[in-house]
Amino acid sequence: MLVDGLPEQRADTAPAPPIRRAVRAVGLLVSAAVLVLVALASIAIGAKELSPGQVWHGLFRATGTYGDVVVDERLSRTLLGLLAGAALGLSGAVLQALTRNPLADPGLLGINAGASAAVVTAMTYLGVTSLSGYVWFAFLGAAAVGALVWFLGGSRGATPVRLALAGTAISAALYGYLQAVMIMDRAALGRMRFWTVGSLSSATDSTILQVLPFLAAGTLLALLLARPLNALAMGDDTAKALGADVNRTRALAMLAATVLCGAATAACGPIVFVGLMVPHVVRSFTGPDLRWILPYAAILSPVLLLGSDVVGRVVARPSELQVGVVTAIVGGPVFILLVRRRRTAQL
């Protein structure tokens, strides 16, 4: 059955057999253990080589050179990577459910473009150069574009196709504006060069505290939308028959995705691929039930983001590759392979 030109995706909302639920629960615990290991690696490994004893000294005594490196640099970027990774994974999973498109990501609805355009405007025309200054412009830009996409997509009559088309059109216009400003203003190009590829290297306690309330609110809202989005995946008529408020669910899903992706982009820059790949991969072993997809995505997305950040610090010592570059290089071929395997299995 087709819904607005897209194949209708059905979610299995019936209770899973006890064995399957147990396997999923164990898998979630294993994923959490992997995340802990990757987070420890992010603290222990960096562009500057430190022994385990030096890392331990810097982490728990937080004084001297070791404390500056471990606590002020690595610990902060690890915490930001945990938060931003979870936000990107959750926003991608929500948008894939909202648009009924398993290849959707936050960029599809123009959220990344809105944040980038707002930061370029702030830097070029308002003289804002500090991270604490433009983080709010990035968030407001993402929120404004999210609201505009919702309005152009039909507001209460929004459909997956209309939302995707509105987001694509707005993204194209904003990226055109972004490129024009950066071409005409070489100073803006220099300032934006590192932010636009996505990075955790500028993480500070202040940045984390600024975006934490938004990330917490967006995460809670996304998790509460699991059941309504499951109903929505079976089609509007079925969702209404099950008691779901279709328009309210779509509006809240847009809000959750915008808050999550906007806050993550404001803190780290537009990091691509995480919100696309992780929920898609998770769905392959959890099934379409968002009650499992969302927790898995919230745990495994930081694994990908922090793992890529560690790789970027090591491969280019004593310098480093930005995490946005590494996620694209590492994730692209893996994602293509997974898509090809899935297509082969369907034939």
Side-chain angles (χ1 to χ4, degrees), residues 139-291:
F139 182 76
L140 290 175
V145 169
L148 183 59
V149 168
W150 177 250
F151 175 77
L152 294 178
S155 298
R156 294 183 64 83
T159 63
V161 170
R162 289 178 181 176
L163 291 173
L165 289 175
T168 301
I170 292 173
S171 292
L174 289 177
Y175 278 124
Y177 164 76
L178 182 91
Q179 294 300 322
V181 172
M182 294 176 70
I183 289 173
M184 292 187 296
D185 189 341
R186 292 185 179 274
L189 176 62
R191 291 192 297 267
M192 287 293 298
R193 187 169 46 138
F194 291 105
W195 190 85
T196 53
V197 298
S199 173
L200 298 175
S201 59
S202 299
T204 63
D205 293 342
S206 175
T207 303
I208 294 172
L209 292 176
Q210 283 177 320
V211 300
L212 183 59
F214 299 102
L215 294 175
T219 298
L220 178 61
L221 181 57
L223 294 175
L224 290 175
L225 286 172
R227 288 181 179 273
L229 285 173
N230 273 343
L232 199 63
M234 295 186 286
D236 290 4
D237 293 338
T238 304
K240 292 177 182 177
L242 293 173
D245 188 326
V246 173
N247 293 325
R248 185 177 66 180
T249 299
R250 286 200 176 112
L252 291 177
M254 273 291 298
L255 177 62
T258 300
V259 169
L260 287 168
C261 182
T265 303
C268 308
I271 298 176
V272 298
F273 209 81
V274 175
L276 167 65
M277 176 180 171
V278 175
H280 187 76
V281 172
V282 165
R283 192 179 294 106
S284 66
F285 58 83
T286 64
D289 192 344
L290 283 164
R291 292 171 296 181

Side-chain angles (χ1 to χ4, degrees), residues 111 114-116 118-119 133-143 195 262-263 265-267:
I111 298 172
S116 299
V119 170
Y134 66 66
V135 65
W136 295 106
F137 285 92
F139 182 76
L140 290 175
W195 190 85
T265 303

